[in-house]
Amino acid sequence: MKIKVAIFGRSELIDYFDEFLKSHDDVEVVPFIYTKASDTVELIDKAFMCDVYLFLEELPYLYVQQKIKKKRLPAVQVAFDEYMILTSFYHLKNKHQVKLRRLAIDVPKEEHVCEVLSELAINHDDIYTLSYGNDKEVNISNVVDFHKQLFAEGKIDYVLTSLKEVESRLQDADIPSYLMVIPKINIDHAIAQCKSIARLNTSQSAQIVAGYVRIKDIEKVREEKGVEFLQELQQKLYEILLKFGHKTYASVLTNSENQYVIFGTRGVLDHITNHYRDFPLIKEIEKALATPIEIGFGLGLTAKQAEDHARLAMDACLHNQNSSCYIVNDRQETIGPLGVKKHFDTSRLYQALIHKAKLNNELSYNFIDFVQLRNNEPFSSNDIANYYRVTKRSAERTVNKLLVGEVIKVVGEEKPYQKGRPRKLFQINM
């Protein structure tokens, strides 16, 4: 399996990294080059078709770490550890003929410096370390000021920095500074970690769907209509769900809470995503039972996770007086209610498709039909490919046009039920 890795780095680092990939035929690199580390905040949203996100420097990762945690993106950093410090010390001493004393260092974790200094029996007294790894936001100016003050006070002769932007500012101030060198072993480890994460995600990509179905206000129905009437309703409901299970290759079980449990995978997921706008199961049950019902679907990588999410979806049903159906995906995002048409301004969308995304008339009308069919629920590029009956690559090109024109926005991610990488989810941006 060939994995696609999004690599974030400065142009010279990307070139340096490419040299190590010549022996890795199973890795396809998609470079995202920046001049300032803060650029990664925008760049990371453009890497949605990649399996793993690899950061060659610490600072760019720190800028986007909250987004990575929130979206649970598969990210890897090239380690800034003892190997890097040792390699950098070696270059300073042998290449630049600099003595390992009277210097200032900035690193993510100070303990790595302490370990190297102890291992090399170097005196700590005239070596000053600034650690920024625990900061919620790295302030470059503060790091620069730390080094400038030490240099102005005559306590140091030069600086060893892990941050390119710090090196540039110090050199502009005529302060001798050197950027840390990334050792080959750290790059090898990062590539291996990317492969490991991609394989793990692939092995876990079979998504499970759990569903709970129950009669709304069941105790009230029992009190007003009696136990026998309720049992008849339950039997009718069970027969409808058995047909649904047969149609979607799902299992239907009962539990002690007077509700039915559905377990499935691809068939159920296909049915749900194809009927956001007109969920027929609700209509069929309502017609047969003449009473409101509640349905909650949960998606997960394990049965337990799917069940937990199905319970959350059922909780969402409590806010509706009539029948309702909600989905909670593996990111705990709530989608729904299903079967309720969501209105949007088709004229405004058409204008945006023509003038912002630069789509032709036919594609624009087809996309509006697509959004209406899915009831303006989140969609993936794979959904577009299936709807337009085009290749995935062609669908991705359309998605990119819509993103560039800001007609759509990224709203989440879903694990595919078949083998493959997580899919970005989009929604119209209006």
Side-chain angles (χ1 to χ4, degrees):
M1 179 191 74
K2 195 163 189 174
I3 68 169
K4 187 179 288 188
V5 180
I7 300 184
F8 299 85
R10 291 176 283 109
S11 58
E12 61 268 31
L13 278 179
I14 297 288
D15 292 341
Y16 176 66
F17 186 85
D18 281 344
E19 290 298 315
F20 296 95
L21 284 174
K22 292 179 179 178
S23 60
H24 295 274
D25 296 333
D26 53 347
V27 176
E28 177 185 348
V29 169
V30 182
F32 290 89
I33 300 172
Y34 54 79
T35 52
K36 295 189 300 182
S38 58
D39 294 343
T40 50
V41 176
E42 294 183 3
L43 288 175
I44 195 169
D45 290 330
K46 299 178 181 180
F48 58 88
M49 297 310 298
C50 296
D51 298 301
V52 188
Y53 299 66
L54 176 60
F55 296 84
L56 301 183
E57 294 183 287
E58 179 79 12
L59 186 57
Y61 175 81
L62 293 176
Y63 273 112
V64 296
Q65 64 177 335
Q66 293 304 318
K67 184 178 286 190
I68 287 171
K69 290 177 182 177
K70 183 178 179 180
K71 294 187 174 183
R72 290 188 284 176
L73 300 176
V76 175
Q77 292 173 266
V78 172
F80 277 63
D81 56 9
E82 297 93 336
Y83 288 117
M84 184 170 289
I85 296 167
L86 276 169
T87 303
S88 300
F89 277 3
Y90 176 84
H91 278 255
L92 283 175
K93 188 174 181 180
N94 295 279
K95 184 177 179 180
H96 301 289
Q97 308 301 314
V98 173
K99 294 182 180 179
L100 300 179
R101 57 183 297 273
R102 288 180 56 81
L103 76 144
I105 306 175
D106 59 66
V107 286
K109 295 182 179 180
E110 184 177 3
E111 54 263 34
H112 295 323
V113 177
C114 295
E115 289 172 11
V116 171
L117 293 178
S118 297
E119 186 70 25
L120 299 179
I122 297 175
N123 189 348
H124 295 60
D125 294 342
D126 57 358
I127 295 179
Y128 303 85
T129 304
L130 173 66
S131 175
Y132 56 81
N134 293 325
D135 296 345
K136 289 184 177 179
E137 185 175 334
V138 179
N139 189 315
I140 295 295
S141 296
N142 289 346
V143 179
V144 172
D145 290 343
F146 170 80
H147 296 309
K148 280 185 175 181
Q149 184 174 347
L150 289 170
F151 189 79
E153 293 173 354
K155 294 181 179 179
I156 62 171
D157 297 322
Y158 64 97
V159 173
L160 179 62
T161 178
S162 58
L163 304 168
K164 175 62 179 178
E165 292 175 38
V166 170
E167 181 200 35
S168 298
R169 291 199 198 181
L170 291 176
Q171 288 181 349
D172 289 342
D174 294 326
I175 297 175
S177 56
Y178 305 93
L179 188 63
M180 288 188 181
V181 179
I182 302 177
K184 179 181 183 298
I185 189 171
N186 288 32
I187 292 178
D188 288 338
H189 286 169
I191 296 172
Q193 195 175 352
C194 287
K195 292 181 180 181
S196 177
I197 288 174
R199 292 190 186 106
L200 179 63
N201 285 343
T202 299
S203 67
Q204 292 182 336
S205 63
Q207 198 166 60
I208 295 172
V209 182
Y212 285 119
V213 185
R214 69 188 174 201
I215 295 172
K216 192 173 184 67
D217 299 324
I218 191 168
E219 293 301 326
K220 184 178 178 181
V221 174
R222 180 187 285 111
E223 291 175 8
E224 293 180 355
K225 301 294 182 69
V227 175
E228 289 187 8
F229 180 81
L230 178 60
Q231 288 177 342
E232 289 181 10
L233 289 184
Q234 293 280 57
Q235 183 60 34
K236 288 181 182 178
L237 177 57
Y238 183 53
E239 290 172 0
I240 293 172
L241 292 179
L242 283 177
K243 286 195 300 180
F244 176 79
H246 180 74
K247 182 179 180 181
T248 59
Y249 309 101
S251 300
V252 180
L253 311 169
T254 59
N255 66 12
S256 58
E257 301 174 17
N258 287 316
Q259 59 188 13
Y260 296 96
V261 185
I262 300 170
F263 277 109
T265 51
R266 176 176 179 175
V268 180
L269 198 54
D270 276 345
H271 185 86
I272 293 171
T273 54
N274 289 332
H275 295 92
Y276 280 128
R277 192 174 175 86
D278 59 336
F279 200 61
L281 182 61
I282 288 183
K283 294 178 181 179
E284 183 180 357
I285 294 173
E286 277 192 323
K287 183 178 180 181
L289 274 60
T291 189
I293 53 100
E294 297 171 332
I295 304 175
F297 286 107
L299 312 183
L301 297 177
T302 66
K304 175 67 167 56
Q305 187 184 50
E307 283 189 274
D308 290 342
H309 293 165
R311 291 189 182 94
L312 292 176
M314 290 296 273
D315 290 340
C317 294
L318 297 175
H319 303 294
N320 293 272
Q321 292 182 345
N322 301 317
S323 297
S324 58
C325 175
Y326 286 87
I327 305 168
V328 172
N329 63 19
D330 62 337
R331 298 170 57 78
Q332 293 194 1
E333 296 166 334
T334 302
I335 301 170
L338 271 61
V340 178
K341 293 182 179 179
K342 293 183 179 179
H343 298 283
F344 59 94
D345 191 334
T346 55
S347 176
R348 185 181 169 199
L349 177 57
Y350 174 77
Q351 293 298 321
L353 292 168
I354 293 292
H355 298 295
K356 292 183 178 180
K358 310 298 183 184
L359 299 187
N360 60 37
N361 276 335
E362 184 180 359
L363 277 176
S364 297
Y365 285 126
N366 285 342
F367 183 74
I368 291 172
D369 289 341
F370 169 76
V371 174
Q372 288 178 325
L373 176 67
R374 294 183 60 86
N375 203 25
N376 198 15
E377 291 290 350
F379 61 87
S380 67
S381 59
N382 193 62
D383 295 323
I384 287 184
N386 291 336
Y387 178 78
Y388 284 107
R389 295 182 181 179
V390 296
T391 64
K392 191 173 180 182
R393 188 174 295 276
S394 177
E396 289 169 5
R397 285 197 294 268
T398 300
V399 166
N400 284 333
K401 287 183 180 180
L402 296 170
L403 283 171
V404 171
E406 297 184 346
V407 178
I408 62 173
K409 59 184 177 181
V410 178
V411 294
E413 177 184 274
E414 70 175 0
K415 290 278 187 179
Y417 39 77
Q418 292 177 309
K419 290 184 178 181
R421 53 182 173 268
R423 298 172 183 155
K424 286 289 182 182
L425 294 176
F426 312 97
Q427 203 164 29
I428 59 173
N429 190 23
M430 58 183 64

